Amino acid sequence: MRILFCSDALTIDGVTSYILNVGAALRRAGHDVCVLGRWAGVKGFQARYRQEGFTVITCPSVSVGNPYFDFRAKRFRPDVIMTDPRRSFPLATRIKLLTGAPVITYFLDPVEKTDRPGRDIASLVKFSNVFTAFEPDTLRQLHGLGSGVPVVKMTRPLDIFFSPSELPEREEFSILCFGRLSRYKTPGIFHMLDNISLIQEHIPDFRITILGGGGWRLCKIKLLAHRLNRAMGRECVIAVGAQDDPRKYIEAANVVFASATSAMEAGYSLRPVVGMCSGYMGLLTPANLDEGIKSYFSERYAPKDFTPLIGELFGIYDRYNDSWLVEDLREVSRRLGEEFSESECVRNFEEAIRASVSLRTLRC
């Protein structure tokens, strides 16, 4: 089957990461995968897409769609189009009208921001053949639309690129803050940096690595890191920006502060994870894993007070070698691996295709 993913741009973010992981699983299942999206002038996933055998169609473009994309999409002759419901949806609509291929619309966020023409609820319903999501609340929202569009649970695979690995030693304690540096994902990072002297007192050999892109916020954090490093007399805060392959940073980490997909990838990799966004959910454990999935690992939390965050970090450091902590990490990794596996993703996709075929049969 020829699968065409539409992307607004190929920058490194949650949508393009989803395309990489799901596309790789479908490619390994024997499908022909293509990604179409404009080049935004910055580093993206193009190289990794090609490494996985994807066809990549891109060019600089002011608009999301253009005649070159039309020509290349028609030549690819997709059997199905996959798109998110936001900026790339009008492109998917355009390609659907040109090729007649059905559209699977995957929701990586709740049903919101639908006030723009071409990606409003009416357009999403009209041009989508199937809706997919994995968050329970989003699935309920989609069912609640009463649109008649089939809704299928579809997870992203964690085991396509990541695997559990042994915890590194506690010496030179590595704290990884992992995720895009948006307005609502940086408060916890700034809280840690504001309390760096307390961290130094409790964890003398700590190192904070901040992984993720974010425009001017990244510049701000780099300037702050430079000032803190000078004050501390060593390089203890490192802001590396966006990276298309975070695996080596996760493997080197003793603890990871993250939300959304970043938290899932770190948890599956057998690292202690503190769910942290505008608010935080604390250390991810078997007891709160279901709550973690429901809240997308604190991504859906309202803003919270970060005062307890430093104590949470110290508790993980103090109990780092406790056997119960390691057992909890293994159980979290096992459960994430079961629900968010390559085989489950492919099975979900096949279910979505069947739902699409059934819908077209009914409409005929």
Side-chain angles (χ1 to χ4, degrees):
M1 180 174 287
R2 292 182 296 276
I3 303 165
L4 176 67
F5 282 92
C6 289
S7 176
D8 168 43
L10 304 183
T11 53
I12 297 174
D13 61 14
V15 172
T16 50
S17 171
Y18 178 89
I19 292 171
L20 175 65
N21 286 265
V22 172
L26 298 178
R27 182 83 174 86
R28 296 179 194 187
H31 300 292
D32 191 358
V33 176
C34 176
V35 182
L36 186 152
R38 56 183 171 172
W39 180 59
V42 296
K43 181 179 180 180
F45 278 117
Q46 293 93 320
R48 292 200 64 190
Y49 288 153
R50 293 187 177 101
Q51 288 171 7
E52 291 302 316
F54 297 8
T55 299
V56 178
I57 301 172
T58 187
C59 69
S61 180
V62 175
S63 58
V64 177
N66 59 54
Y68 173 70
F69 286 167
D70 296 346
F71 168 73
R72 291 296 303 274
K74 285 192 290 185
R75 194 166 75 172
F76 180 71
R77 293 182 296 113
D79 296 302
V80 64
I81 300 165
M82 296 190 68
T83 180
D84 70 277
R86 294 188 180 175
R87 287 173 297 188
S88 68
F89 191 80
L91 174 60
T93 299
R94 178 171 174 152
I95 302 304
K96 178 176 184 176
L97 294 174
L98 287 169
T99 65
V103 170
I104 296 175
T105 304
Y106 51 86
F107 287 76
L108 305 183
D109 291 297
V111 184
E112 58 186 14
K113 298 181 180 179
T114 56
D115 55 338
R116 301 288 183 88
R119 45 187 166 125
D120 54 285
I121 293 293
S123 297
L124 293 173
V125 170
K126 179 179 180 180
F127 292 106
S128 298
N129 295 80
V130 179
F131 291 148
T132 72
F134 90 87
E135 293 180 64
D137 288 346
T138 305
L139 288 166
R140 279 192 287 271
Q141 276 188 306
L142 293 172
H143 282 293
L145 292 177
S147 64
V149 177
V151 178
V152 174
K153 180 180 179 180
M154 184 168 175
T155 60
R156 60 179 292 153
L158 296 175
D159 56 355
I160 198 81
F161 296 119
F162 295 86
S163 60
S165 61
E166 292 302 314
L167 281 171
E169 295 298 320
R170 196 177 72 163
E171 288 72 24
E172 297 184 358
F173 197 75
S174 175
I175 303 163
L176 177 64
C177 298
F178 177 23
R180 182 168 55 89
L181 302 178
S182 63
R183 175 178 57 83
Y184 63 96
K185 289 189 177 183
T186 50
I189 296 174
F190 284 113
H191 182 77
M192 277 193 279
L193 297 182
D194 288 342
N195 290 276
I196 200 165
S197 59
L198 292 177
I199 297 175
Q200 175 71 44
E201 290 175 9
H202 198 95
I203 312 175
D205 57 352
F206 80 95
R207 181 178 70 256
I208 298 175
T209 301
I210 301 169
L211 175 62
W216 68 267
R217 287 188 182 86
L218 176 59
C219 295
K220 181 178 180 180
I221 287 175
K222 283 187 173 183
L223 289 171
L224 179 56
H226 177 71
R227 188 167 72 246
L228 291 173
N229 289 338
R230 287 186 62 185
M232 303 293 286
R234 65 184 182 92
E235 191 177 45
C236 56
V237 182
I238 306 165
V240 297
Q243 300 290 312
D244 64 2
D245 191 347
R247 284 175 288 188
K248 68 178 183 180
Y249 296 96
I250 293 176
E251 289 172 3
N254 296 100
V255 60
V256 179
F257 288 80
S259 66
T261 303
S262 303
M264 296 166 66
E265 292 170 344
Y268 178 66
S269 299
L270 216 61
R271 294 297 178 270
V273 175
V274 177
M276 183 180 77
C277 200
S278 56
Y280 79 97
M281 62 171 290
L283 178 65
L284 186 62
T285 68
N288 66 12
L289 181 57
D290 289 341
E291 174 61 25
I293 293 173
K294 181 180 179 182
S295 68
Y296 206 6
F297 304 92
S298 87
E299 182 92 354
R300 311 303 176 211
Y301 279 178
K304 290 186 177 181
D305 178 18
F306 283 91
T307 303
L309 187 65
I310 302 300
E312 182 98 59
L313 170 62
F314 294 166
I316 295 168
Y317 177 77
D318 293 340
R319 298 171 295 173
Y320 189 72
N321 293 316
D322 290 356
S323 59
W324 68 266
L325 176 63
V326 175
E327 289 304 312
D328 275 1
L329 298 179
R330 288 175 178 161
E331 178 63 12
V332 167
S333 176
R334 183 191 67 79
R335 287 171 57 184
L336 286 173
E338 286 182 352
E339 184 162 356
F340 301 94
S341 67
E342 178 181 351
S343 58
E344 183 69 5
C345 174
V346 172
R347 188 189 69 78
N348 295 155
F349 173 77
E350 292 170 349
E351 182 180 351
I353 292 298
R354 287 194 296 272
S356 172
V357 171
S358 298
L359 179 64
R360 280 183 288 171
T361 301
L362 287 172
R363 286 178 173 174
C364 290

